[in-house]
Amino acid sequence: MTDKAGVADAVAALRAIGYYLERDRQPTHRVKAYRRAADTIAALPATEVRARRRAGTLTELPGIGPKTEAVIVEAMDGATPSYLVKLEEAAGELTTAGKGLRADLKADLHLHSEWSDGGSPIEEMARTAHRLGHSYIALTDHSPRLTVANGLSRERRLQQLEVVAELNKKLQDELDGFTILNGIEVDILDDGSLDCDSEILARLDVVVASVHSKLRMASEPMTERMVRAIANPHVDVLGHCTGRLITGGRGTRPESEFDAEVVFEACRQFGTAVEINSRPERLDPPKRLLAMAVEMDCLFSIDTDAHAPGQLDWQVYGCERAEDCGVTSDRVVNTWDQQKLVEWTAS
């Protein structure tokens, strides 16, 4: 085994551990420890990592502790690290339902990278999505007003467009035509306008519009706010419509109040898909509203809202709920191939 191969195996093992911990919703600090260790050794010449492994000085590197050192040593010795084996054996299926609809999905249209509040590079998110069976994704990092999520300024958004273009040249060759679509999760402002100028929105392939502020607004103005955003010709998907949180580290949060019949009718009329958000702490919309949207003949997008690679596997949670409520594949926009999807968003 070459020095380079041994180090590459160690990096892959550390990132795989991070993936399984994320998938299992383990504490963020545990995940970051393994991802930080992977980044540390990936940035060094393979010869230096190999020399430190022989000298027993890996733990002198920033972000490398006894546990991550053990993983590196086992991987560099040509074995599958025992901790990774344990995680793989314990992983199992997230749910036994939703498999039919999940098999039809070709993309995830709502996910975040380290450019905003995600924890991993764009390329790692893309490669994980490809490994999970997708043929494309939409990268939807936040808009500028959401500063708590490191929302992208206009300048950073333009820079990201260039980065994605270069990545696509690389990945389409390596991953059988896999494509990263340029997208955004844009804030719906208090008056229903969008937190991004029209010139930028027109350059993007997918626009997910979501309410992130003043979630306790009274029903009538909230309804008007949402409908104005839905009617915007740039908006393709209405993200996590109630804003609820039902579990997780951020605590719980009740649903926003709005006239769901009016909002879903606007989605139907303006061709805006209702997102079925698969994050375990959201599972938004609730089933009673999801069933209403089905009855009102809405389109849907089943997305993870992933902020890390391991969370991309959560899509099956949304599929399970969609199947329970009678959502069929033909009404889910991310079952479409990339060309049809982009033609739809452009229209």
Side-chain angles (χ1 to χ4, degrees), residues 212-229:
H212 288 109
S213 61
K214 294 192 177 178
L215 294 168
R216 306 312 303 149
M217 182 180 283
S219 177
E220 184 174 349
M222 178 65 89
T223 301
E224 293 175 357
R225 175 186 185 183
M226 295 172 73
V227 168
R228 182 180 177 192

Side-chain angles (χ1 to χ4, degrees), residues 24 28 47 54 99 119 163 168 202 215 226 250 253 259 274 290 293 327:
D24 195 41
T28 302
T47 51
R54 288 194 298 265
K99 291 182 181 179
V163 169
N168 275 332
L215 294 168
M226 295 172 73
R250 290 187 290 169
R253 182 168 63 211
D259 189 325
V274 176
L290 180 51
V327 177

Side-chain angles (χ1 to χ4, degrees), residues 113 119 138 167 174 209 235 303 313:
S113 75
L167 267 176
E174 296 181 13
V235 172
D303 303 315
D313 217 7

